[in-house]
Amino acid sequence: MLQASVVSESLGPASAGRRKSYFPRNRPVSAHCGSDDSPVEMKRRIEELLLLGEFNAAVGTLLDPEQVCSVASSWLEEVVGWNVRSLTFADSEAGGQTSGVGDDGLVSEFCPDSGAESGAAAGRPADGKNVRRNNGNDLRMYRFPNGLGGLAVSRSRGDGSQYSDEFMAGIVDTLARSLANAREYARLRTLSMRDHLTGLYNRRVFEAMLEVEARKRTATPFSLLLIDLDDFKGINDTFGHGTGDAVLVSVAETLRRSFRKADVTARYGGEEFAVLLPEASLESATRTAERFRRNIAAEPLGCGDGTIRPTVSVGIATVSDRTGLNVVRMVEEADRALYRAKGTGKNRVCGTLLERQSTVARVSKPARPAVTKVREVLDL
């Protein structure tokens, strides 16, 4: 759900060359102006069509829902003269609940008849219940045609109603369509960046972030973790792929809890995960990886009449000097450290420090499960 307040600055190109309507503020217009073919009303309708085109140009190509709200709010204030008190837009998956907080408090009630499926009535207040008197202003509410949100605006009583109902319906319809398009773009962009099962970043995005980190001009170290579930094939063969997926989701949740918000977590492929730890030395990365490994080992998963106790092996590659760093080599060293962890008994952490001339390998032994006390680690 989105909410926007009036923003009057930093609108960018959308506000360039903007013009005010020439219509006088105190001149009322008939609700049935569409049936009047007088030159004055024809001129008015042409002006409204031009304004609708300008509004569509301002918000129709924006791909960020928050930006759509911001630009639309400012345009309505500067051009139409209406102050946006609440602008809400909800996902259909969330049940279409709409609410918003405006300058006058909570605005969450939209008249059932205020929005039609299409046409001019889509944004027209059907009766007096849609116009409220508040602090000397008219508060008008319009429901989006798709039912997933609405617009609440206010104007001074002395302004008069200079725009037709058809014009306001066009504004509401354009705004609803622009928000729906921006939301769909954001959804598709998220799908292209995230693993569909765990919600973590996918490998392509992770590798791009690793390249960016490797090219930062700083002397601080950073670490790469490659994490592999031990004996995952046996889990799939014994309990089925549905249970295997549940284990992967559980590991992903533990990853989110065990690392900082600044860290980048990803599903690297199959049962393998990866974590990028900015500004983390080998000692720091090893401590964090050990904490994560213990958390996984101490969280058994129920499966029918049985219990699954998954474990992970972790390989770490830490860079202390980024000069001439080859990211491919860094991934290879983390992979070698992971294989050492697998080959020396699994359920353990192995790390490698990459320097200009040499690498120093380090192995940490797993703590005894009998004396390990697990605590939840929250995001910092």
Side-chain angles (χ1 to χ4, degrees), residues 176-253:
R177 185 172 60 253
S178 298
L179 281 170
N181 291 341
R183 184 194 63 179
E184 181 64 12
Y185 175 83
R187 186 183 71 84
L188 293 176
R189 184 172 181 271
T190 298
L191 288 177
S192 70
M193 297 176 64
R194 300 282 181 175
D195 171 61
H196 72 283
L197 177 64
T198 63
L200 301 175
Y201 285 119
N202 58 36
R203 179 170 179 166
R204 177 179 61 85
V205 173
F206 181 83
E207 289 179 341
M209 292 183 174
L210 182 60
E211 287 280 357
V212 170
E213 181 65 31
R215 280 158 178 71
K216 287 183 179 179
R217 296 183 178 181
T218 175
T220 59
F222 75 101
S223 297
L224 167 66
L225 275 62
L226 292 184
I227 303 165
D228 191 79
L229 272 163
D230 297 327
D231 304 315
F232 185 70
K233 184 177 183 302
I235 294 176
N236 279 332
D237 293 343
T238 304
F239 299 98
H241 290 277
T243 300
D245 287 347
V247 172
L248 293 172
V249 171
S250 177
V251 171
E253 288 298 323

Side-chain angles (χ1 to χ4, degrees), residues 249-373:
V249 171
S250 177
V251 171
E253 288 298 323
T254 306
L255 271 174
R256 292 187 182 94
R257 297 197 310 266
S258 301
F259 293 91
R260 305 167 299 178
K261 290 183 179 180
D263 301 331
V264 181
T265 56
R267 185 180 179 190
Y268 207 60
E271 67 271 24
E272 194 169 6
F273 298 85
V275 183
L276 170 62
L277 303 177
E279 300 182 5
S281 64
L282 180 57
E283 290 75 15
S284 175
T286 300
R287 288 195 302 269
T288 303
E290 274 291 344
R291 182 176 59 197
F292 167 72
R293 184 197 62 77
R294 292 194 301 266
N295 287 346
I296 292 293
E299 294 182 1
L301 301 176
C303 178
D305 297 332
T307 299
I308 301 175
R309 296 183 178 274
T311 61
V312 295
S313 297
V314 184
I316 304 173
T318 299
V319 173
S320 60
D321 189 340
R322 305 179 192 224
T323 305
L325 173 62
N326 187 325
V327 172
V328 174
R329 181 189 171 215
M330 184 178 188
V331 174
E332 290 175 348
E333 291 297 337
D335 202 40
R336 290 190 184 97
L338 175 61
Y339 273 95
R340 287 201 304 275
K342 291 281 191 181
T344 53
K346 302 178 182 178
N347 189 25
R348 65 183 61 210
V349 176
C350 293
T352 298
L353 176 63
L354 279 74
E355 298 175 331
R356 279 194 179 187
Q357 302 298 328
S358 62
T359 62
V360 180
R362 300 185 182 183
V363 179
S364 69
K365 296 181 179 180
R368 292 176 294 176
V371 297
T372 300
K373 184 177 181 181

